[in-house]
Amino acid sequence: MSHSSNPFLNLNYEPAIESLADYHDVVTAAEYPMHRLRWRNDDILPTLGLDSSQVSDDDFIEAFGHFRAVRPFLALRYHGYQFGEYNPQLGDGRGFVYGQVSGVDGEFYDFGTKGSGRTPYSRTADGRLTLKGGVREIIASEALYRMGVKTSRCLSLVETGEDLWRGDEPSPTRSAVMVRFSRSHIRFGTFERLRWIGRADLTRKLLDHVLQVYYPHIWGKENQDDIFYLELVERVATLCAQWMAAGFCHAVLNTDNMSITGESFDYGPFAFIPTYDPRFTAAYFDHAGRYSYANQPAACYWNLEKLQDPLSMVMDKDNMQSSLLKFKDFYRDAYCEIMLKRLGFSSLSEPETEDLIGATLELLSAAQAIGYNQFFVKLRQSFEPNWREDASKIFGSHDWELNDEQIILLEKWRVVYHQLLIRLPIAELENIAQQLQQSNPTIIFLRPKIEELWEKITVDDDWQPLYDAIAQLKT
Ligand code: AMP
Ligand code: MG
C-alpha cells in the first residue's frame, strides 16, 4: 500500500465488487497531455472523513488525473435495453470503478470514472469525455442534489488537453476526465447480462452482494428477495417523483442507466423543463419521445418490469409483479409530498393536496409564460405573511404576461392558496417562508443558462461564472 501523503491514496478502499470476480475486467487508465483541475467537490470530503484544508489540488490531480492506483481499476460488465432494444454490447466503455469506500455515514460508495480511456467495451469509440459533458454532469448532479434528489455527484473534473470530435458539439472540443461519487455502479443491466449468459449462480451471488451492501436491513430476512424487489420499486418510484417535481428530464432512461440502489446517475443530454410541457423531450435523438418528461414514470415502470426477467432466475416472478403494481401509489405519495414542500407546505389533507397541486399544474400548463421552475422561485421570492389577509395580495406584483383565460387560472390558484393560508395559525406562516426557501433554489439551469456558462469557459476560459452559479444553489 502507498506511503503517499495524498489523503485519497490513503483511504481504506475495500475490494467489494472486485472480490466477486465475475462482473468486471481489469483495465488501465489513459495518459493525458495535460492535467488541470477544473472542479473539486469539497462538499463530499467530510463524508470521506476528510477536511478540504487537508486535500490539495495536486492530491486531486495525482489520484484522479494521473490515476495513481491503489487497487485494480475495474471496468464493469453489463448489458441493457436501449430505447427498448436489447444491447449485449455494453459495459464500461470509458470508465471504471477506481475504488470503493465506506463513508463516515456508514454508507458504501464508489468512485467511478468517466472519460478515463478505452476498455474492452469501448467498441469503436475513444473512451473519452468532453469537457462540456463533464461540466453538464456537474451542473445536473449539483442542482438535483440541492433539490433533494438522491443522486451521484462529481467529486472531480480534470481537463486533459486532448482534441475530441463529437457530432453533438462544435469540434474539435476539449477533453476531461471526471470522478463520480455514487452509491453503486451496479445497474439493472448488470443483472440483464447474467440472464443473457444464462448464469443463475452469478445472479444469486450478485443479488446477495447487493442485499448485504445496499439493503443491509433486509439481508438475512426470510423473504429477503421479495422485500428487496418491493423496496427497489419504492426507491425507483420515489426517485422518479423527485425528478418530476424538480422538472428534470433525464433523457436516457435505458436499463444500463438505472442503478440497483435507486440512485440517479449518468447525465448526458438531460434538461430541466423550461415550461410545464409534459411532451418535452430532452434528447435530440429520442424521436418518438420515449423518455419525454411525462413518460418518465412509465419508463421506470417498464425498466423495473424488465428486471424481473433476470431476477426470476433466482426468485419468484409473481411476487415481483404484485410488488410492481404498488409503483403507482409509491410514485404518487412521493410526488405529492415533494410538490407540497415546493409550494411551502409540509402536510395537507388529501383533497387539499389534490386541489393545490391540480391548480398549480393547470396554471403552469396553460400559462407557458410562467416557466416551471421560475414559478417556484417567484413563489419563494414573493411570499409574504400578509398574503393571508387578502387573496388579491398573492402574486400582487407579478410581471407575467397572461391572457384572459390564464388570468382566470391564476385567480383560481390564488383562491386555493389563500384558503390554505387562512386555515393556518399565523405563527406557522414563517414555516412556509422557510419551506419555500429550502425547496426552491433561486438558480435554474435551463439550457440557455448552461450554454451561457459554457460560453464563458470556452471563449474566455473563465470558470468563475460556473463556480458562482453552483454556489448560488446553496442559498
Ligand atoms: P451512455 O450513453 O454514456 O450511458 O453510454 C452508453 C454506452 O456507450 C456505455 O457502454 C458507454 O461506456 C459507451 N460509451 C459512451 N461514450 C463512449 C466513448 N466516448 N468511448 C467509449 N465508450 C463510450
Ligand atoms: Mg450510461
Side-chain angles (χ1 to χ4, degrees):
M1 202 59 72
S2 96
H3 296 285
S4 161
S5 62
N6 185 333
F8 290 128
L9 302 182
N10 289 312
L11 291 174
N12 187 21
Y13 294 103
E14 298 175 39
I17 191 103
E18 178 193 342
S19 64
L20 300 182
D22 300 291
Y23 312 97
H24 69 262
D25 294 80
V26 173
V27 296
T28 54
E31 287 179 21
Y32 305 105
M34 179 181 114
H35 305 84
R36 197 159 293 161
L37 186 64
R38 296 303 194 181
W39 171 252
R40 48 177 284 171
N41 200 331
D42 286 356
D43 266 10
I44 293 172
L45 299 180
T47 307
L48 299 170
L50 302 176
D51 183 301
S52 59
S53 66
Q54 297 172 292
V55 185
S56 69
D57 287 2
D58 285 343
D59 292 333
F60 271 92
I61 289 171
E62 183 187 23
F64 306 136
H66 289 284
F67 291 104
R68 273 278 304 277
V70 177
R71 302 205 64 88
F73 299 149
L74 316 175
L76 300 185
R77 302 171 179 173
Y78 56 84
H79 294 173
Y81 282 93
Q82 299 187 302
F83 290 87
E85 298 287 329
Y86 194 78
N87 186 350
Q89 309 263 310
L90 292 170
D92 279 337
R94 53 169 167 175
F96 50 73
V97 173
Y98 174 93
Q100 300 185 283
V101 292
S102 290
V104 297
D105 56 2
E107 305 276 10
F108 197 59
Y109 291 100
D110 281 8
F111 294 174
T113 66
K114 191 170 184 178
S116 50
R118 290 177 49 79
T119 76
Y121 305 101
S122 304
R123 290 170 283 168
T124 57
D126 60 7
R128 303 300 202 264
L129 170 69
T130 68
L131 184 63
K132 187 178 185 185
V135 165
R136 282 177 45 83
E137 179 146 345
I138 291 169
I139 290 172
S141 48
E142 290 305 300
L144 290 176
Y145 179 79
R146 167 64 177 84
M147 296 174 93
V149 178
K150 186 174 163 190
T151 178
S152 70
R153 297 174 80 184
C154 301
L155 178 59
S156 62
L157 186 72
V158 174
E159 182 171 0
T160 48
E162 295 176 319
D163 281 344
L164 303 182
W165 298 84
R166 291 290 184 273
D168 55 358
E169 285 183 39
S171 297
T173 188
R174 291 153 75 175
S175 68
V177 66
M178 188 182 89
V179 172
R180 181 195 280 155
F181 184 68
S182 91
R183 290 305 318 283
S184 171
H185 287 79
I186 300 172
R187 308 140 192 267
F188 289 15
T190 313
F191 284 92
E192 282 161 345
R193 171 180 163 269
L194 301 176
R195 161 91 185 196
W196 180 267
I197 62 174
R199 294 293 298 268
D201 58 330
L202 295 184
T203 306
R204 184 70 255 167
K205 191 168 147 187
L206 186 63
L207 186 55
D208 285 346
H209 171 74
V210 165
L211 288 167
Q212 283 171 48
V213 179
Y214 306 107
Y215 295 79
H217 51 290
I218 289 172
W219 171 244
K221 285 199 177 163
E222 197 180 334
N223 301 323
Q224 57 169 20
D225 296 345
D226 296 335
I227 305 172
F228 154 74
Y229 185 81
L230 178 63
E231 184 167 328
L232 179 65
V233 169
E234 182 173 12
R235 289 192 194 186
V236 172
T238 303
L239 171 64
C240 190
Q242 291 168 346
W243 287 333
M244 296 299 284
F248 182 74
C249 192
H250 180 286
V252 193
L253 292 180
N254 293 335
T255 58
D256 53 304
N257 286 338
M258 299 289 293
S259 166
I260 203 71
T261 66
E263 182 186 62
S264 174
F265 79 121
D266 211 1
Y267 303 109
F270 76 87
F272 287 92
I273 54 172
T275 61
Y276 188 74
D277 170 10
R279 288 162 312 174
F280 178 89
T281 305
Y284 68 90
F285 48 82
D286 185 3
H287 306 293
R290 181 183 175 93
Y291 300 134
S292 69
Y293 172 69
N295 280 352
Q296 294 184 114
C300 289
Y301 184 99
W302 192 92
N303 291 339
L304 283 163
E305 189 160 34
K306 279 290 169 199
L307 181 64
Q308 292 176 12
D309 291 341
L311 292 182
S312 65
M313 289 197 291
V314 299
M315 59 190 277
D316 186 85
K317 193 159 184 164
D318 291 341
N319 288 347
M320 286 193 270
Q321 191 55 30
S322 48
S323 294
L324 183 57
L325 296 179
K326 304 204 169 99
F327 180 95
K328 216 174 153 188
D329 287 338
F330 287 139
Y331 173 79
R332 228 198 104 69
D333 290 351
Y335 180 74
C336 289
E337 188 187 325
I338 305 163
M339 287 298 278
L340 278 193
K341 287 190 174 150
R342 297 206 70 185
L343 290 158
F345 296 93
S346 48
S347 76
L348 293 175
S349 74
E350 220 174 288
E352 286 172 333
T353 302
E354 257 172 43
D355 277 0
L356 178 59
I357 297 175
T360 305
L361 296 183
E362 198 183 5
L363 170 66
L364 295 184
S365 162
Q368 298 272 305
I370 311 175
Y372 178 76
N373 273 304
Q374 290 93 320
F375 174 80
F376 295 99
V377 174
K378 189 83 176 169
L379 180 59
R380 165 183 165 164
Q381 290 172 339
S382 319
F383 177 81
E384 298 276 357
N386 74 7
W387 281 14
R388 194 173 181 276
E389 295 160 15
D390 182 351
S392 69
K393 292 197 166 133
I394 297 178
F395 285 127
S397 60
H398 72 78
D399 52 6
W400 300 314
E401 282 183 31
L402 305 178
N403 64 27
D404 292 349
E405 181 212 353
Q406 295 162 351
I407 288 169
I408 291 170
L409 290 174
L410 179 58
E411 280 306 322
K412 187 174 156 194
W413 192 89
R414 282 186 171 124
V415 171
V416 172
Y417 206 75
H418 185 244
Q419 286 300 312
L420 295 171
L421 292 182
I422 54 180
R423 259 175 261 159
L424 277 186
I426 291 184
E428 276 184 34
L429 292 174
E430 207 28 60
N431 299 345
I432 295 204
Q434 243 173 41
Q435 186 65 61
L436 289 171
Q437 197 171 336
Q438 233 172 56
S439 298
N440 303 309
T442 55
I443 181 155
I444 309 163
F445 289 99
L446 300 186
R447 280 191 170 146
K449 180 72 193 174
I450 297 177
E451 290 301 315
E452 179 193 313
L453 296 170
W454 174 246
E455 277 303 294
K456 285 282 177 201
I457 292 168
T458 188
V459 177
D460 306 325
D461 208 26
D462 182 2
W463 289 75
Q464 202 53 46
L466 173 71
Y467 302 149
D468 291 345
I470 303 265
Q472 196 185 326
L473 283 170
K474 293 211 168 124
T475 60

